[in-house]
Amino acid sequence: MSLSDVLLASLSPSTRSQAETTLSTLSTTQPQFLTSLLQLVLDQSQQIQARQAAAVYFKNVIKRRWDAEANEETPIDQNEKNTLKEQLVPAMVALSSQSKLLRTQIADAVGLVAAIDFPTLWPGLLTQLVSHLSSADYAVNVCILETAHSIFAPWRSRTRSDELFNAINYTLANFQDPFFAVFDATAAALLSGQTIPNLNVVAQAQSLLMQIYLDLTFQDIPPKFEDSIAQFFGADNGDEGYFIKFLRWNSPALLGDEEDPTPTEPMNIKTTILEICEVFEMKYNELFSDRVPAFVRAVWELIGTSSLAVREDTMVAQAIKFLSITAKMGIHKALFADEGTLQGLAQRIIVPSMPLREHEVEQFEDDPLEYIRRDLSLSTEGGGSRRHAASELTRALVSIGLDAPVTRLIEQYIAAALQEYAANPSENWKSKDTAIYLLTAIASQASTTHHGVTSTNVLVDIVKFFSENVAQDLNTEGSTVHPILQVDAIRFIYTFRYQLTKEQLASVLPLLVRHLGSSNYVCYTYAAITIERILFMKSGKTPMFNYTDIQSLTDTILNALFVRILGGGTPEKVAENEYLMKCAMRVIITAKGSLAATYPNTLSRLVEILGIISKNPSNPQFNQYTFESVSALLRYVSLADASSITQFEAVLFGPITIILQQDITEFIPYVFQILAQMLESHTATLPDAYRSLLGVLLTPAVWGQRGNVPALVRLVNAFLAKDAARMEAEGQVKTVVAIVQSRLIPSKINDQYGFELLQTIVRALPPQLLKDVYFPAILNSVFTRLQTNKTDKFTYSLAYWFFFTMALPIDGLGPDTLIGAVERIQTGIWNGLFGNVVLPEVPKMRPLDRKTVAVGLTRLLTESQLMLSSAPLWQPAFVALEQLVSKSDAVAQDQAEDPEAILTAIDYEEATAGYQASFSKLAASQPKRYDPVEYVPDLSAYVKQTLAKAVAADTRARALVALPSATAWSRALQAGQAF
């Protein structure tokens, strides 16, 4: 079977599995496989389906294996890499005239390679790209410019560094001259007004040139770009420059269909120019300031001549955003301060941008979930909405001291809109919606995703407006009010929740709960979102609402949510609305142990949901919140009623078994964490159901899935902590250590999990067994990795494990036990290992690790015979300990567990990580962190007393504290004084 046949077979459901296996084997065994694949993509005699499959597979192999070490994949042969670097750009150019789909896949591959190798390992890339730029073939130019933009665009979000600026400077040296030449030629052609063949392609090239201009100036302005400011931005009393010319440029041939929501190329060009102006306004104001008035006029004209077509939304929103930035900077306040100007801004920009558009009403009705997601993202991130951009402009004007005139002006429009609504509520409901948005815009001064509005305009009485104009829509039942106004009322609470008292919020909670039963999708979803955010609110560091506040509502909320979720029927529909499950999770977390009496119903509904969505896991966030709900219910109910764990096991073992048997990879890491959580709840002998599972957990196939590893380590750690003696008797500890040696310690991705297992092993097994059997094997693996592939993360984890082991209060497991094991590997190795690898990590220790490290280091200094005999090791270690303890005192690191840490942890996961394709931690399932030094209540006192006793009892210690450069501790110890 030829390569082409295998690729075609991979497209058929009946032969896909075998074909994919064959391709996987060929990709790692057949020499020059990727080169052959690329040639197949270029071969026009092959079937287009085979070429397309080849292009996609080629890109995916590049993505996985070009940086094989980082992804722990089979590396691509270096000779083939070099060959591909010569062939990729010509192949991409050749495909530009054949197939956009094929060209896009190869262009993506170029971008993937460039992200790793450019410029250091692929210095010739720019030369290749530039060599294909043409004065005539703009199809090729677009191909080259798209690729260049894909390489340069990520620089915008990168942190400033020498490496970044080396890449930028290298690019400027090789690319900026051809860039300016193509920019000049393209702009001249478009602005000439003459007929141009392939006009849309030329305009697309100009749009990409604008994007590249932004890429290359985003971090800093290069000298040549600074020298050409007048050419692009214009000069007073001179040429107005490319950017203003293009803001006014329109080509009748490019107008397109006004009903098409896709922006035209002229619109894309103008949008990017406005983004460039925003960057220059904020970063290079000294270069741009003189031209700001001209650009404000041009932007005003642009907005004035624009239509209400959807395709113009992004451009108009960016234009309004530019005015907002200009106003907020304050430097050009005079441009906005005049009463007539403010009236014009309100009348021509702010108020016309506020009404709900027809396509938004259609989305509300036809695609409600997308309406919600867009509304939530726009309210915090801005984006292509005219309404949100106009709100930002209003806030900007208020923020520069124009609050009184702007508030007075906008309130007039609010009053007029409310009057219009009152005249005919059923017909003029949009007027009230506009009034509410205008009020929100004028009242809100700052906001965050988690807290809603955090500061308000003191001239606006939010509570009064709510009670007089909004509350009735929240109370109204049935169809007497438009559902969008009901959503507005709920969103008003969501937005201004931190401006309301706990009593006020408690009074609206039952109304929000009632809206969970609404027939309108957006209404009940926004009710769930708002309930969840109210329950998330904190007063100081503690939750504002606890289980007593919601006890009468808990079952009602959960039942309403589960009815909505399960009403979806199919796996995809059940899982589509993550906001409902997130609300259920938050209610369970807030209710805590109060659910102990009724939890079986909640648990059965969650298991029912799991059974449905496991047939086709389609929404990662919904999955996360579902398992988090199960985990939180298990956590709090078992704390309130320890006997409930048997009920949880009886209900959960069935679906867990199905998930494992059917190898539902998206759910397996969650299942391992739930199993660990249940296992850790047992204080007596482990049930046989767990022990029978252990054999499966220790098979290579399970560890082969990267996403399983963190959860597997958590689960195996739980087994070791509970059942190490039996595991050792059955040879399973040897298997665990073999996994650490072969799969975890050698891995740059998973090495820290190997050390997590080793921490449990050293505290769970007898010291003599560690000394005779396991330390030699473990240390050999550690030293091999240290010699062949040392990283900062690895050395930190190794150092912490050494100190963790030395700090354990286990007879027979003192510092010299570990040092002796190290010395048996190679005599004399400890000195170099400690001095060059372990000790330099001490100052880097994270606050949570410092206490353990300080105790371990103290025991090393006072109990180790080898250390007490080596001044070159002991004295710098003593200084490091003194500095570490002082640092630990400063942060008051006592490792006390916050009783509300689980709540904080879950919100932290949502805020910073959310769903990760590789692994998603269940915060509610996390156990209390094992504290090896719980026996030390006061770190400072322990360290000082232990050192003082050692100095008093051992002449070697007394001699060692006489440091060449005395410290406060050494002077006090020599003098026998308290310190």
Side-chain angles (χ1 to χ4, degrees), residues 216-230:
L216 298 178
T217 57
F218 196 90
Q219 289 284 352
D220 201 354
I221 184 161
K224 184 161 183 172
F225 285 77
E226 185 172 350
D227 293 341
S228 62
I229 284 289

Side-chain angles (χ1 to χ4, degrees), residues 169-182:
N169 289 332
Y170 180 85
T171 298
L172 292 169
N174 291 275
F175 190 80
Q176 70 177 359
D177 288 344
F179 166 77
F180 276 102
V182 174

Side-chain angles (χ1 to χ4, degrees), residues 680-699:
E680 288 158 354
S681 299
H682 284 278
T683 55
T685 305
L686 285 185
D688 289 338
Y690 289 101
R691 286 182 171 144
S692 64
L693 178 66
L694 187 55
V696 177
L697 298 180
L698 299 180
T699 57

Side-chain angles (χ1 to χ4, degrees), residues 131-142:
S131 70
H132 289 284
L133 286 173
S134 164
S135 60
D137 192 341
Y138 269 88
V140 172
N141 284 354
V142 165

Side-chain angles (χ1 to χ4, degrees), residues 224-271:
K224 184 161 183 172
F225 285 77
E226 185 172 350
D227 293 341
S228 62
I229 284 289
Q231 182 183 2
F232 286 85
F233 290 89
D236 292 341
N237 303 317
D239 186 84
E240 59 186 2
Y242 283 140
F243 291 155
I244 285 183
K245 289 176 182 176
F246 273 112
L247 286 176
R248 292 175 176 153
W249 173 70
N250 281 299
S251 171
L254 295 176
L255 286 178
D257 181 2
E258 191 169 308
E259 297 300 315
D260 185 350
T262 307
T264 63
E265 289 302 341
M267 293 172 196
N268 290 333
I269 289 169
K270 292 170 187 180
T271 301

Side-chain angles (χ1 to χ4, degrees), residues 277-399:
C277 291
E278 179 186 333
V279 169
F280 273 71
E281 178 85 276
M282 299 179 71
K283 291 188 174 186
Y284 319 121
N285 192 264
E286 72 283 358
L287 299 173
F288 183 51
S289 183
D290 290 345
R291 296 293 294 158
V292 167
F295 275 86
V296 168
R297 288 192 297 272
V299 167
W300 191 284
E301 292 170 14
L302 176 65
I303 296 171
T305 57
S306 65
S307 72
L308 291 176
V310 175
R311 63 181 183 167
E312 295 189 47
D313 283 357
T314 302
M315 178 188 72
V316 173
Q318 187 63 44
I320 299 173
K321 185 180 180 184
F322 168 73
L323 295 178
S324 301
I325 297 292
T326 303
K328 198 178 295 185
M329 293 290 288
I331 301 171
H332 300 282
K333 179 180 176 179
L335 292 173
F336 304 94
D338 179 74
E339 188 76 30
T341 303
L342 290 176
Q343 179 68 49
L345 285 168
Q347 186 175 347
R348 296 178 57 188
I349 296 178
I350 295 172
V351 174
S353 299
M354 286 295 178
L356 203 61
R357 314 271 292 290
E358 195 55 43
H359 73 277
E360 293 169 321
V361 177
E362 291 174 2
Q363 189 179 54
F364 181 94
E365 296 168 350
D366 301 335
D367 193 359
L369 194 56
E370 186 57 33
Y371 175 92
I372 294 163
R373 287 174 177 154
R374 187 168 185 271
D375 191 52
L376 289 172
S377 66
L378 287 172
S379 65
T380 56
E381 299 169 12
S385 165
R386 302 187 194 211
R387 172 181 269 192
H388 286 87
S391 297
E392 284 300 314
L393 176 57
T394 308
R395 284 190 275 270
L397 294 171
V398 170
S399 72

